Amino acid sequence: MEIEKLAKRLRNRTPIILGSERFSKFAILLPLVEINNEVHVLFEVRSLKMRRQPGEVCFPGGRIDPEDRDEEHTAIRETSEELGVGEDSITNVSPLDYMISFGQIIYPYAGIIQNPDKIVPNPDEVEEVFTVPLSFLKKVKPETYHVNFKVEPEENFPFDLIAGGENYNWQTRRAEEVFYYFQDKVIWGLTARILKHFLEIITEDFNESESVCRK
């Protein structure tokens, strides 16, 4: 029967994020390096020659190319290109939670860069790099602010077709923005959100292991 064919077709498909085929997809690496036997997180400052967000603090990463094997390979490739290190020097790459933001899907990873003294940033993309001790980031509490998004239907929006018309009660949106400060650097936006998520993961893992040890 036709209805059974429909049911079979639905049952055999793998769900994805609705509309994601139209999303831009990016992969990012949160780089960990060891300096004087201490773990640091490495950040980039975007080149002042860049068209988008020049001078902002970020992690290495970029758009997923069709030739890339997968999202992880994109993160490794982009990091290699931006920091001038071999792909084989980027190890222990692990996925973080992916993010959806304004028609984009971002796949963040954390990984270790071996021999950070050999980093030679690409001047076309990177103004400078700096590192922050992980011990500092684990102790500091970021400042939190909110951005409110206002709904503005276009001029010819068909209000006559919806219940409530021009008085329709639109749901407002609110986004959280966190700010980390280190010396003269400000870490915010997508980079700060990924950093915060990473810190929450490693703090949870540490607390869980501490709890097990006490039992």
Side-chain angles (χ1 to χ4, degrees):
M1 296 174 62
E2 188 68 21
I3 195 168
E4 292 176 351
K5 291 180 181 178
L6 288 172
K8 184 178 179 181
R9 182 171 183 179
L10 291 171
R11 186 168 58 248
N12 291 336
R13 71 181 302 275
T14 300
I16 60 173
I17 299 169
L18 183 65
S20 61
E21 68 278 1
R22 298 188 298 273
F23 287 15
S24 299
K25 299 176 176 66
F26 299 84
I28 291 171
L29 185 78
L30 185 154
L32 300 170
V33 297
E34 190 172 61
I35 301 175
N36 297 326
N37 297 317
E38 184 177 8
V39 178
H40 285 231
V41 177
L42 183 142
F43 297 87
E44 298 178 351
V45 176
R46 290 173 62 85
S47 170
L48 299 178
K49 296 180 288 186
M50 298 288 282
R51 182 173 56 86
R52 293 180 63 250
Q53 300 170 314
E56 288 204 0
V57 174
C58 66
F59 291 128
R63 187 183 295 272
I64 297 173
D65 289 342
E67 302 81 30
D68 291 335
R69 293 190 300 272
D70 50 29
E71 294 86 2
E72 179 179 323
H73 178 245
T74 301
I76 293 172
R77 175 184 59 75
E78 287 284 340
T79 300
S80 172
E81 294 172 359
E82 293 176 22
L83 297 181
V85 297
E87 291 188 7
D88 58 352
S89 69
I90 304 168
T91 64
N92 296 281
V93 177
S94 301
L96 305 176
D97 291 351
Y98 60 83
M99 306 167 62
I100 301 175
S101 176
F102 297 102
Q104 299 177 343
I105 303 179
I106 298 97
Y107 298 89
Y109 293 82
I112 298 172
I113 297 182
Q114 307 290 341
N115 304 313
D117 54 307
K118 294 184 179 179
I119 290 175
V120 182
N122 178 353
D124 291 332
E125 298 186 68
V126 183
E127 192 72 17
E128 63 173 303
V129 298
F130 67 96
T131 68
V132 182
L134 182 59
S135 58
F136 171 85
L137 292 168
K138 289 168 70 174
K139 288 186 296 185
V140 71
K141 184 177 181 180
E143 292 184 4
T144 302
Y145 299 90
H146 293 91
V147 177
N148 296 313
F149 296 93
K150 182 180 179 182
V151 178
E152 290 187 356
E154 61 181 345
E155 187 175 340
N156 63 341
F157 188 84
F159 285 106
D160 57 307
L161 300 180
I162 62 174
E166 294 187 16
N167 297 318
Y168 183 81
N169 186 22
W170 298 96
Q171 293 186 18
T172 57
R173 296 289 184 266
R174 192 184 194 201
E176 181 181 273
E177 292 287 355
V178 295
F179 288 73
Y180 291 87
Y181 306 98
F182 181 73
Q183 297 176 354
D184 63 336
K185 300 295 192 295
V186 178
I187 304 163
W188 78 290
L190 180 66
T191 304
R193 291 171 63 191
I194 294 172
L195 175 62
K196 183 173 182 285
H197 167 53
F198 167 75
L199 294 171
E200 288 170 347
I201 291 175
I202 62 174
T203 301
E204 285 174 6
D205 292 345
F206 176 78
N207 289 341
E208 288 176 2
S209 63
E210 283 283 290
S211 177
V212 170
C213 290
R214 292 194 189 101
K215 292 181 180 179

